[in-house]
């Protein structure tokens, strides 16, 4: 399968990128904030949901790919629920959400993480890029989300 390359410029686009990133994992040390340019990047291992075939859902078909998520046009970044000094801590990304500010297109872009953690970015507008940067590798673990 071809490498994924997506861009989000509005909330609808962002929901598509969010779906592809569900259950991606990264280490805190793989997050980089470039304050002068207003870019937050995360190097992630994303679960390749689009390659999953429900008719033959088995371990041999599950895979992950290395990807880079770039969130641009940010003016501030905050985090909660994890230790930023622990570069080996693994974070699991659940979703991307956007809350518009009083003066759109500005707002807050939230990276919703497992364990009630999150990364919040104040942005001038939505400008997000997701790019696969490597081939895939097999994994024995498929993310599960049991109903409560």
């Amino acid at each position: 399968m071809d490498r994924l390359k997506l861009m989000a410029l509005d909330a609808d686009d962002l929901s598509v990128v969010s779906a592809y990133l569900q259950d991606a994992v990264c280490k805190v040390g793989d997050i980089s904030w470039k304050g002068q340019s207003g870019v937050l990047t995360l190097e992630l291992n994303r679960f390749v949901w689009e390659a999953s075939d429900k008719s033959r859902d088995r371990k041999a078909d599950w895979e992950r790919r290395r990807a880079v998520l770039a969130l641009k046009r940010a003016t501030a970044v905050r985090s909660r629920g994890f230790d930023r000094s622990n570069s080996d801590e693994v974070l699991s990304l659940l979703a991307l959400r956007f809350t518009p500010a009083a003066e759109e297109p500005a707002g807050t872009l939230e990276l919703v993480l497992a364990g009630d953690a999150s990364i919040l970015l104040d942005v001038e507008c939505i400008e997000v890029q997701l790019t696969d940067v490597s081939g895939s590798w097999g994994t024995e673990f498929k993310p599960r989300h049991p109903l409560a």
Side-chain angles (χ1 to χ4, degrees):
M1 180 168 273
D2 292 331
R3 290 184 183 170
L4 192 64
K5 189 171 187 177
L6 298 174
M7 179 171 233
L9 298 173
D10 62 28
D12 289 337
D13 295 344
L14 190 65
S15 67
V16 173
V17 172
S18 179
Y20 279 100
L21 282 172
Q22 182 178 354
D23 300 308
V25 293
C26 75
K27 290 185 177 183
V28 170
D30 291 333
I31 301 171
S32 173
W33 166 240
K34 305 281 191 247
Q36 286 187 318
S37 58
V39 178
L40 181 79
T41 57
L42 293 86
E43 295 178 35
L44 306 144
N45 295 336
R46 72 175 190 89
F47 189 82
V48 185
W49 288 105
E50 68 273 20
S52 181
D53 181 348
K54 293 188 188 310
S55 66
R56 54 183 185 88
D57 188 20
R58 59 181 195 251
K59 289 182 183 180
D61 298 324
W62 302 337
E63 58 187 62
R64 285 194 177 268
R65 287 194 184 148
R66 192 72 169 164
V68 173
L69 176 65
L71 305 122
K72 302 179 178 184
R73 311 277 302 250
T75 58
V77 178
R78 324 178 274 296
S79 62
R80 63 179 175 215
F82 64 94
D83 181 359
R84 289 180 293 163
S85 67
N86 182 357
S87 62
D88 288 328
E89 182 176 355
V90 175
L91 305 174
S92 181
L93 181 61
L94 301 177
L96 300 175
R97 289 188 196 145
F98 180 73
T99 304
E103 291 190 34
E104 291 188 53
T108 301
L109 188 61
E110 179 182 11
L111 286 80
V112 180
L113 306 169
D116 204 28
S118 62
I119 300 172
L120 299 143
L121 292 89
D122 295 331
V123 295
E124 297 170 0
C125 62
I126 296 172
E127 188 174 334
V128 175
Q129 289 179 301
L130 172 62
T131 306
D132 285 344
V133 293
S134 76
S136 61
W137 64 89
T139 180
E140 293 188 14
F141 303 101
K142 180 179 180 182
R144 290 187 6 196
H145 298 277
L147 298 174

